[in-house]
Structure formats: structure tokens, C-alpha cells
């Protein structure tokens, strides 16, 4: 933190003929594999919403932008590729004014917006960008002017390296029994099912009730697939996966025969570890930037919200959790714990129950200049 950052000016590189901030050399985005000469990653083409499904404002959310992106260059690129914009591009920026990888663009027409959605997966500045329909945020029942990004929907999101991962997983045994340990919204699940034969079988796990609801229709439509509302740590108790030994003594066993004719033998399992986009963008309080109840549970059918833990946890327990599980500096973790104890009062009635309340409290407790581009409360939220 004591080392000064020096940026050397040089002729600005270009993207599609537009200048970019920085100096990493020419970032050519027009490789020639799409109708407009734009490079696209391998994988399926974007699936656009059906006619009439979109409504004004014609706004898109763009992720994975290069750090050097500037509003003017991105706006020029979008106008040339898609059509005129109704207002300037808005980028998320860090304290030094550099792009944090995401932004929004609003077009004058639905056709221009649809052209922008077709840019999903194309190369910009050496990175494959993601372009989706922007959602409008709501705070205290009032619709905000600023968008919040998008919520991942079933069938509209292609996981990173999906084709490569599924090929390695299923290759050589399309008749086998497989496990998707983290269903999410079923991106990998659908790709695995598409690679299996009629004799193949797939089991998936998820603790999130919204994920279970999203997978219910797929389970009803495809007899090869079964979704379990449980953590993947419990898969050893599923008889179809581990045969006679599943669940220990006395466990009732279901008979299953799949393509390998080896009952209870799993041919492969995929673990895509991490939080999912719907959870981050939803209303369960996983993000300090988005106001919601400070819940933070994957499975809302059990346990208690995070604010309940803040209400009853001791100062030492909070400091330990913020430090060991969130990666927070030990001194900062103690300051945050002290702040929570002071604010909640002797009865706990004033404990922060909203993400913004807690995020603001953490920021004030840490004090001083934040040298990280991310929100200063993110380590505490990670814990």
C-alpha cells in the first residue's frame, strides 16, 4: 500500500476503431466470425427474448469489460455495432476512475437493444463480454432510476467453459450415471443431459429453494434427471448413487439400472463451487451494494437470517468470523465487532437488519481510505 502506482501514458489502444484508456497495445475486437465481423467465443449463439417480452427503457447490462474501458469508446463501439443510444454509457468505476468490469447502455429502440444482446459472448478489448437485459432496482417500494444488473434465468446463461467441462465429464460414457453437485439454474445440467444417451442418468443437488423450483419443470420433462433439495455433502445417502451402502445400515434401497449396467456406480461428478448470480442479484442480502434484508441463507427453509446472528453473537465470535472466514484484517475485524455491539444495544433491537445498514456500519468502523477497488464491507459479507 506504500508503493505509489505509476501509469505511463502511451497512444491509446483501440477497440473496433474506438480509443481505450491505458496502454496495453491494440485490442482488436473484429476477428471476423460473426455477421458484423466480431470475434465470438465457442458455444451457442445468444437466445433473445421472444417478441413483445422487452419493454422500455431499452437497456442492457454489460459484464467482463476490460479495466481500461472508457464510456466514450464503449458508446462509439455500441453505436456502430447496434444503433443509436438514448443516453451515454454508464460504467461502474473504482476510486481512481477505472472501469470495474461492468456498465449499462440504453438504446433508442428495441431493435438496437436486440442487436446489443447479440453481442453476448463477443470479444471486446481481449475479453469476452456478457450482455443481458438490465433490471431496474427497487428500494423501500420505490423503483430506482439506476439499474441493478440482471438475474440469471434458466436457459439464458451459459456457464464458463461449459462445453469443455461437459466434454471432459461425459466423454466415453454417455450411458453413465453422473452428478451435478451444484444445480444453480441448470446451465451445466442441461448441457450434461444433452450429451447423455437415453440410458444415461443425472442427479443434481442444491440447497436453494428457488433453484429447486427452477429445476422442477426440467425434472418433470426428463425422466433421466433427478434433483435433490440437499447439500452435495449428503449425496452418499442417496441409494441410486451408492447402491447398498448408501445411507448406512437400515437405509431402504431403490433399484436403478443405467447404461453401464453397474448399479450405483457414478461415472463422473461436477462441482461448480461458488455463489450463483440469482443469489447475488436477489433479495437475500449477499451484496453490500444492493439493499435487501440481511438474510444470506442459501436454504431459507431452515436456519435464521444473518442479522439474527449479529443480534446474539459475542464480540469475540464476530471478530473471529470476520477475520478467519472473511479474510478481514484482525484489527479491522475487532473494530467491526465493536461497532455492531455498540449499535445493537443491550437488547439487540437496533442490530442492522438491512444490507446497506450493515455495509455502512462496516465502512465507518474500518475508517480511513479504502485502498481496494471493491466495497470495504465485502470481506465481512463474505464471512
Amino acid at each position: 500500500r506504500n508503493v505509489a502506482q505509476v501509469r505511463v501514458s502511451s497512444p491509446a489502444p483501440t477497440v473496433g476503431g474506438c480509443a481505450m484508456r491505458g496502454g496495453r497495445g491494440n485490442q482488436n475486437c473484429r476477428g471476423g466470425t460473426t455477421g458484423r465481423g466480431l470475434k465470438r467465443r465457442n458455444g451457442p449463439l445468444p437466445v433473445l427474448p421472444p417478441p413483445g417480452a422487452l419493454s422500455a427503457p431499452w437497456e442492457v447490462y454489460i459484464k467482463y469489460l476490460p479495466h481500461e474501458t472508457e464510456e466514450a469508446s464503449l458508446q462509439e463501439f455500441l453505436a456502430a455495432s447496434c444503433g443509436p443510444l438514448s443516453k451515454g454509457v454508464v460504467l461502474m468505476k473504482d476510486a481512481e476512475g477505472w472501469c470495474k468490469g461492468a456498465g449499462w447502455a440504453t438504446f433508442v429502440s428495441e431493435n438496437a437493444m436486440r442487436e446489443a444482446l447479440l453481442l453476448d459472448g463477443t470479444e471486446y478489448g481481449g475479453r469476452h463480454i456478457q450482455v443481458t437485459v438490465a433490471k431496474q432496482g427497487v428500494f423501500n417500494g420505490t423503483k430506482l432510476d439506476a439499474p441493478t444488473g440482471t438475474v440469471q434465468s434458466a436457459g439464458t446463461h451459459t456457464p464458463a467453459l461449459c462445453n469443455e467441462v461437459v466434454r471432459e465429464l461425459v466423454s466415453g460414457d454417455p450411458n453413465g450415471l453422473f452428478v451435478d453437485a451444484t444445480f444453480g439454474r441448470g446451465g451445466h445440467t442441461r448441457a450434461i443431459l444433452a450429451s447423455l444417451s437415453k440410458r444415461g442418468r443425472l442427479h443434481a443437488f442444491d440447497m436453494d429453494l428457488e433453484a429447486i423450483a427452477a429445476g422442477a419443470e426440467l425434472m418433470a420433462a426428463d425422466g433421466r434427471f433427478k434433483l435433490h433439495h440437499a447439500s452435495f455433502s449428503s449425496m452418499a445417502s442417496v441409494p441410486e448413487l451408492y447402491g447398498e451402502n448408501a445411507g448406512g445400515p437400515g437405509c431402504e434401497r431403490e433399484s436403478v439400472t443405467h447404461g453401464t449396467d453397474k448399479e450405483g456406480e457414478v461415472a463422473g461428478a461436477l462441482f461448480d463451487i461458488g455463489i450463483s448470480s440469482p443469489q447475488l442479484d436477489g433479495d437475500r442480502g449477499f451484496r453490500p451494494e444492493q439493499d435487501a434484508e440481511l438474510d444470506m441463507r442459501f436454504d431459507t427453509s431452515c436456519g435464521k437470517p444473518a442479522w439474527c446472528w449479529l443480534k446474539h453473537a459475542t464480540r469475540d465470535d464476530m471478530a473471529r468470523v470476520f477475520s478467519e472466514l472473511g479474510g478481514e484484517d484482525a484489527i479491522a475485524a475487532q473494530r467491526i465487532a465493536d461497532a455492531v455491539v455498540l449499535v445493537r444495544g443491550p437488547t439487540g433491537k437496533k442490530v442492522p437488519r438491512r444490507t446497506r445498514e450493515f455495509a455502512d456500519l462496516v465502512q465507518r468502523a474500518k475508517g480511513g481510505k479504502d485502498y481496494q477497488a471493491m466495497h470495504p464491507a465485502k470481506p465481512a459479507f463474505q464471512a
Side-chain angles (χ1 to χ4, degrees):
R1 293 181 177 179
N2 296 323
V3 179
Q5 294 185 356
V6 179
R7 302 190 189 273
V8 180
S9 298
S10 62
T14 61
V15 178
C18 304
M20 288 184 68
R21 180 178 181 177
R24 296 189 180 182
N26 186 21
Q27 308 281 349
N28 180 20
C29 286
R30 298 186 177 272
T33 59
T34 72
R36 285 166 288 180
L38 301 174
K39 290 182 180 179
R40 180 182 297 281
R41 64 169 179 247
N42 293 329
L45 292 174
V47 179
L48 297 184
L54 300 175
S55 60
W58 314 115
E59 194 161 47
V60 297
Y61 179 55
I62 309 171
K63 292 175 65 176
Y64 310 126
L65 289 165
H67 194 48
E68 301 86 354
T69 303
E70 290 186 324
E71 283 98 342
S73 61
L74 181 57
Q75 183 169 340
E76 185 177 343
F77 168 74
L78 293 173
S81 302
C82 311
L85 286 76
S86 62
K87 58 183 179 181
V89 169
V90 178
L91 295 179
M92 293 179 62
K93 295 183 178 182
D94 61 22
E96 296 181 353
W98 291 78
C99 178
K100 292 177 67 175
W104 296 266
T106 308
F107 295 89
V108 299
S109 67
E110 180 180 358
N111 287 338
M113 178 184 179
R114 286 181 173 273
E115 288 294 318
L117 293 174
L118 288 173
L119 293 177
D120 183 44
T122 57
E123 187 176 314
Y124 181 86
R127 303 187 68 180
H128 291 104
I129 59 175
Q130 181 186 85
V131 185
T132 51
V133 179
K135 302 287 185 180
Q136 296 293 323
V138 175
F139 177 57
N140 287 344
T142 302
K143 188 173 182 180
L144 301 175
D145 291 333
T148 62
T150 58
V151 175
Q152 175 184 343
S153 300
T156 64
H157 174 70
T158 301
L161 298 176
C162 183
N163 293 334
E164 293 82 355
V165 168
V166 173
R167 182 170 59 247
E168 289 296 320
L169 182 71
V170 181
S171 179
D173 195 4
N175 299 323
L177 174 63
F178 292 88
V179 175
D180 182 353
T182 50
F183 177 77
R185 288 301 181 270
H188 282 122
T189 294
R190 288 175 173 81
I192 294 171
L193 286 172
S195 300
L196 294 179
S197 71
K198 292 181 179 180
R199 300 178 67 191
R201 295 292 182 269
L202 176 62
H203 287 251
F205 293 80
D206 209 295
M207 297 175 64
D208 193 326
L209 288 175
E210 292 182 5
I212 298 301
E217 184 177 348
L218 177 61
M219 186 163 57
D222 195 326
R224 302 173 300 167
F225 174 60
K226 186 171 183 178
L227 180 59
H228 304 268
H229 179 209
S231 168
F232 56 72
S233 63
S234 66
M235 69 172 66
S237 65
V238 177
E240 296 125 309
L241 297 179
Y242 287 91
E244 293 180 352
N245 296 323
C251 177
E252 293 186 6
R253 183 169 170 271
E254 298 178 36
S255 177
V256 60
T257 302
H258 51 84
T260 60
D261 293 325
K262 298 176 181 177
E263 193 173 300
E265 182 174 311
V266 176
L270 172 63
F271 294 76
D272 185 13
I273 306 298
I275 196 168
S276 66
S277 297
Q279 291 163 337
L280 282 175
D281 295 333
D283 58 359
R284 277 180 274 173
F286 285 104
R287 296 175 58 184
E289 303 94 343
Q290 187 168 340
D291 189 61
E293 181 187 0
L294 193 62
D295 190 313
M296 305 187 79
R297 288 174 294 171
F298 290 117
D299 186 353
T300 55
S301 67
C302 60
K304 296 180 179 180
W307 65 262
C308 287
W309 181 79
L310 291 176
K311 181 177 180 179
H312 300 289
T314 66
R315 172 191 177 278
D316 290 342
D317 280 346
M318 285 189 285
R320 177 186 59 80
V321 168
F322 294 144
S323 177
E324 294 181 4
L325 302 183
E328 190 64 85
D329 175 84
I331 300 300
Q334 292 174 3
R335 290 171 64 93
I336 297 169
D338 286 338
V340 173
V341 171
L342 288 172
V343 168
R344 72 187 184 186
T347 63
K349 289 184 177 181
K350 296 183 179 181
V351 68
R353 299 191 180 202
R354 307 286 299 181
T355 54
R356 285 182 180 171
E357 289 181 72
F358 183 56
D360 290 345
L361 179 64
V362 171
Q363 188 168 14
R364 295 197 305 271
K366 293 176 72 171
K369 177 177 174 56
D370 178 37
Y371 289 90
Q372 295 177 319
M374 66 181 185
H375 194 289
K378 281 195 174 179
F381 273 70
Q382 178 175 293

